[in-house]
Amino acid sequence: ASGEVWAVAVLVLTFLASLGAKIVARYFLSEDPQVSQLKKEILELKKESNDLNSPDTIIKYFKVQRQLNRTEDALAIAASRPPVPAPRLQALHKTLEVAPYLFLFIFWNRPMCSFLADTVWPIGCLLAFPSQASGSVGIVAWLYVCRHLSARVLGAQ
């Protein structure tokens, strides 16, 4: 197969690996439910506190403020304990993050795509690394473009 076909395959597989890593991180490595509940309570207490901030409701305001302070302290303690996800999920997440770099070994000396050598004259040799074929893009530059593009598409910048 030609270099352009491999380039598209690397792009698609890099995107799928990034998408899989994002899905695992969002849905399976999410924060502790207690932390989520405390955050909701803090938002509600702040809203209630803002509603009570007048001279005739000052006593109730201070009660809500004390409760808000206790809840924020509880959140700080709960958030300081890192959640312990299943080791298999952590391993899957790391594997999906690292998977695109395996292409470095597979396509080390193969150009990903070709163009006229004079098109990007000053940086052509950097783009061609490691294949050093004149007028080509090597796997290192192509993988950088694929990772950056998939991060932009997935909104993870």
Side-chain angles (χ1 to χ4, degrees):
S2 68
E4 286 78 12
V5 172
W6 288 115
V8 171
V10 168
L11 176 64
V12 169
L13 291 173
T14 301
F15 177 76
L16 291 176
S18 297
L19 179 64
K22 187 169 183 168
I23 288 172
V24 168
R26 175 173 285 162
Y27 295 110
F28 299 111
L29 301 178
S30 61
E31 70 182 3
D32 187 15
Q34 181 185 8
V35 172
S36 300
Q37 179 62 31
L38 288 171
K39 285 181 180 179
K40 288 178 188 175
E41 286 179 27
I42 287 173
L43 288 175
E44 290 171 8
L45 288 170
K46 283 184 179 179
K47 183 180 175 190
E48 186 178 347
S49 171
N50 288 337
D51 293 342
L52 295 173
N53 198 1
S54 66
D56 46 321
T57 59
I58 195 73
I59 294 172
K60 198 169 188 180
Y61 171 78
F62 283 126
K63 285 182 180 179
V64 171
Q65 279 299 110
R66 283 194 301 271
Q67 185 178 4
L68 178 62
N69 290 339
R70 284 192 303 269
T71 308
E72 286 176 340
D73 291 342
L75 175 62
I77 291 169
S80 67
R81 293 186 305 251
V84 182
R88 287 185 180 176
L89 288 175
Q90 285 180 327
L92 175 63
H93 183 255
K94 290 295 179 191
T95 302
L96 288 171
E97 285 183 335
V98 173
Y101 296 109
L102 296 175
F103 295 128
L104 288 172
F105 299 107
I106 298 170
F107 298 108
W108 185 254
N109 285 325
R110 182 179 302 198
M112 290 288 103
C113 56
S114 301
F115 50 88
L116 294 174
D118 296 334
T119 306
V120 286
W121 167 75
I123 60 169
C125 61
L126 293 174
L127 289 177
F129 180 78
S131 68
Q132 296 301 325
S134 179
S136 67
V137 175
I139 186 63
V140 174
W142 185 249
L143 194 55
Y144 173 78
V145 168
C146 291
R147 294 286 294 195
H148 188 70
L149 183 63
S150 63
R152 283 292 182 118
V153 168
L154 295 173
Q157 192 173 15

